[in-house]
């Protein structure tokens, strides 16, 4: 059953169509990733599906009673004026459970003090079972797990919501959504403000999410680990692919290969038909030739307007209806020939710029060796490293948290910073190319074209043509560097890197600000690079596909893992599973102990109350016993035998009661 269905959705801003004819549905347990180039309208579509924006065309149908949670890319304006703390906000989501907890405490007190009726224990047991089933014993643990997982330490939890940074607010919104458990989570770039540890925690949470998820993310590895269906959004609508991101890449390749084959077949058919028309347009078969020319004229017109997919496998009436009619004008033979030549071969490469990183020369076999290496600054050591050996054609990925010293390591390799101890030895015939995360090698006051001239002198026409390959067209070549966006700076840095023709690449976050098609393009180039790569990146998909060894910064040590990222994750997950099993056993022990302590606490209160009652009864009986002794003496002196007999019977009964109560008192006092 679908939790949400939409049909023929379209969104326009003025005369600009963002997307159109978009239809799909989300099942109750769907895990869907939405991909597409920047500017195609992914965020716009999410807003429409979340009910926060109205489409220009089409409709959205949401299942009745289902809750939708939406996480925006940025949440700087969230929680405005709220004095609540992060932890207090999370705790407020469980107000009803906390009220139930308070009712249970009152029931326990009533039972212990004897105020409750005979059915109180049965009602208490039912309420306790319902409380436990609703997560009453776990909600505080869940809050801690979510806040820990998303990077809120003990100190951050007590920050007021309106004092948080934009990134912290986004994480707080995400934490609240995960604790609220809506039926459909719509997440727009949820990993933007998370470190690798938090992203991995979120992946685990979403994989076992008991509901539907629709997510937009540039993090391909995140999509690989979370989604089971990929929607590719284009101006013409959505194409759906089964499986995770890697499965989508392979299916997309196959689909585009089929389209290219279909295109070649269709083009060959047109050329054959046109050849017949040329030979017969003025001969005995003029009418048949004109009929063929009329038919391919309509087909060529439809393909030029809507592409080959718009006519493939469809009747002509269906094509005409979908296009709102087709041209009835018959082309000339020359026009048809020109139209056939204009047909564009389908290309599955969505990236609109390319880069060539071919090295100028081959390096030696040993590219980098270290021994006894300690890095940092005078008076501030960052880490010590295991001895490293990096060979030609290998790719090492340097992985660690922000501030751990990754960029410092790159600067040490470049000779810009001496090590505190040990040495770094570079191999023979090396030409190093450095892509800096902050692009500090760019001169802010220079024009874009000046940066190209700095790397390699060339004619202005050649420089402008070269920049055009990196999407700097027209007057963009004369923009000052300081006016460029993050994505533009990244493309310019790649353009300069390509001109260096290096055989050892030091890449510091090369995919930052690149959309998925551009990331895929760069990955394909690096995968065939005839040199050696040292990669510093949070792009785990890139690491997974390129790295042959991992350099892991953990605390003040750098450890070398000789293997791929998948192998490293498998080893770590095995260790984590063992730790989880031990933790689960400890939690179950604590849960059982808490229930026993709660039950024992109730029993102790009841025993204490009974002990007090017994002591009071014993005091009363002892006083009556003393009084009976006096009355018996008086009755004996008066020789009142009837009275003596009745007093004796009462004295025996009081003594027996007293003995029973004294035995009960001894038991209660001992317990």
């Amino acid at each position: 059953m679908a939790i949400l269905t939409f049909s023929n959705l379209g969104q326009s801003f003025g005369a600009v169509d963002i997307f159109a004819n978009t239809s799909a549905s989300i099942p109750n347990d769907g895990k869907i990733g939405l991909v597409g180039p920047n500017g195609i309208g992914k965020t716009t579509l999410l807003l429409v599906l979340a009910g926060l924006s109205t489409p220009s065309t089409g409709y959205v149908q949401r299942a009745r009673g289902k809750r939708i949670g939406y996480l925006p890319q940025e949440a700087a304006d969230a929680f405005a004026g709220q004095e609540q703390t992060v932890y207090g906000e999370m705790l407020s989501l469980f107000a009803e459970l906390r009220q139930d907890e308070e009712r249970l405490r009152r029931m326990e007190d009533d039972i212990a003090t004897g105020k409750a009726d005979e059915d109180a224990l049965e009602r208490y047991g039912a309420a306790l079972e319902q409380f436990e089933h609703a997560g009453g014993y776990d909600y505080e643990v869940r809050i801690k797990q979510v806040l820990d997982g998303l990077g809120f330490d003990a100190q951050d939890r007590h920050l007021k919501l309106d004092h948080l940074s934009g990134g912290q607010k986004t994480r707080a919104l995400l934490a609240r959504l995960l604790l609220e458990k809506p039926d459909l989570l719509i997440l727009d770039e949820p990993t933007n403000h998370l470190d690798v540890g938090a992203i991995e925690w979120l992946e685990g949470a979403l994989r076992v999410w008991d509901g539907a998820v629709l997510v937009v993310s540039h993090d391909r590895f995140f999509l690989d680990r979370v989604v089971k269906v990929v929607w590719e959004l284009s101006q013409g609508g959505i194409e759906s692919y089964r499986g995770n991101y890697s499965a989508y890449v392979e299916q997309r390749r196959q689909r585009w290969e089929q389209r290219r084959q279909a295109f070649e077949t269709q083009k060959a058919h047109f050329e054959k038909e046109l050849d017949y028309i040329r030979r017969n347009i003025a001969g005995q078969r003029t009418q048949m030739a004109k009929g063929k020319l009329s038919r391919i004229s309509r087909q060529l017109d439809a393909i030029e307007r809507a592409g080959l997919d718009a006519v493939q496998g469809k009747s002509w009436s269906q094509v005409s209806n979908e296009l709102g009619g087709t041209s009835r004008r018959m082309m000339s033979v020359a026009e048809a020939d020109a139209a056939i030549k204009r047909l564009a071969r389908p290309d599955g490469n969505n990236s609109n710029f390319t880069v060539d990183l071919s090295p100028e020369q081959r390096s030696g076999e040993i590219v980098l060796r270290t021994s006894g290496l300690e890095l940092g600054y005078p008076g501030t050591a960052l880490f010590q490293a295991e001895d490293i050996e990096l060979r030609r054609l290998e790719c090492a990925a340097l992985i660690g948290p922000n501030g751990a010293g990754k960029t410092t390591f790159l600067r040490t390799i470049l000779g810009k910073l001496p090590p505190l101890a040990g040495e770094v030895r570079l191999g023979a015939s090396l030409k190093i190319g450095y892509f800096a995360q902050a692009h500090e090698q760019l001169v802010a006051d220079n024009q874009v074209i000046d940066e190209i001239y700095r790397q390699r002198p060339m004619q202005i026409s050649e420089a402008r043509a070269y920049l055009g390959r990196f999407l700097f067209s027209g007057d963009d070549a004369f923009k000052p560097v300081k006016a460029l966006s993050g994505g533009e700076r990244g493309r310019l840095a790649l353009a300069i890197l390509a001109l260096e023709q290096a055989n050892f690449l030091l890449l510091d976050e090369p995919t930052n600000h690149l959309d998925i098609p551009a990331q895929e393009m760069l990955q394909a180039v690096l995968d065939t690079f005839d040199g050696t790569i040292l990669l510093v990146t949070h792009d785990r998909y890139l690491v997974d596909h390129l790295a042959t060894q991992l350099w892991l910064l953990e605390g003040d040590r750098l450890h070398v893992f000789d293997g791929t990222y998948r192998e490293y994750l498998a080893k770590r997950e095995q260790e984590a599973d063992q730790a989880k099993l031990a933790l689960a056993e400890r939690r179950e022990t604590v849960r059982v102990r808490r229930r026993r302590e709660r039950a024992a606490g109730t029993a102790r209160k009841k025993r204490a109350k009974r002990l007090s009652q017994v002591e009071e009864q014993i005091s009363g009986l002892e006083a009556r016993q003393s009084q009976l002794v006096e009355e018996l003496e008086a009755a004996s002196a008066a020789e009142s035998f009837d009275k003596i007999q009745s007093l004796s019977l009462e004295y025996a009964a009081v003594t027996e009661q007293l003995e029973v109560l004294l035995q009960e008192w001894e038991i209660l006092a001992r317990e």
Side-chain angles (χ1 to χ4, degrees), residues 309-384:
D309 285 350
V311 300
Q312 202 83 41
K314 298 177 182 176
S315 67
W316 192 248
S317 61
Q318 185 180 357
V319 172
S320 181
N321 288 335
E322 290 179 356
L323 296 181
T326 57
S327 174
R328 294 186 177 276
R329 186 184 74 83
M330 187 171 70
M331 298 178 180
S332 68
V333 173
E335 288 174 329
D337 184 54
I340 293 170
K341 287 182 170 63
R342 284 197 304 271
L343 293 176
R345 188 171 185 266
D347 185 5
N349 181 14
N350 292 326
S351 178
N352 44 17
F353 77 95
T354 58
V355 57
D356 180 7
L357 296 175
S358 301
E360 184 178 34
Q361 63 184 16
R362 173 181 171 139
S363 72
E365 287 302 315
I366 301 299
V367 174
L368 173 69
R369 273 182 176 157
T370 72
S371 60
L373 190 63
E374 182 176 3
L375 297 183
Y377 300 89
T380 306
L382 292 176
F383 64 86
Q384 294 177 331

Side-chain angles (χ1 to χ4, degrees), residues 117 174 222 262 320 405 420 651:
D117 57 32
L174 179 56
F222 175 81
S320 181
L420 297 180
Y651 183 84

Side-chain angles (χ1 to χ4, degrees), residues 90-127:
M90 305 305 139
L91 204 59
S92 69
L93 302 174
F94 301 95
E96 187 173 339
L97 265 181
R98 297 179 73 198
Q99 291 173 358
D100 292 342
E101 191 172 24
E102 183 58 33
R103 280 195 292 271
L104 281 172
R105 289 198 180 99
R106 289 197 298 268
M107 292 174 73
E108 290 167 2
D109 289 340
D110 288 346
I111 291 171
T113 56
K115 297 178 182 178
D117 57 32
E118 294 179 356
D119 298 327
L121 275 175
E122 186 175 344
R123 291 198 305 273
Y124 173 77

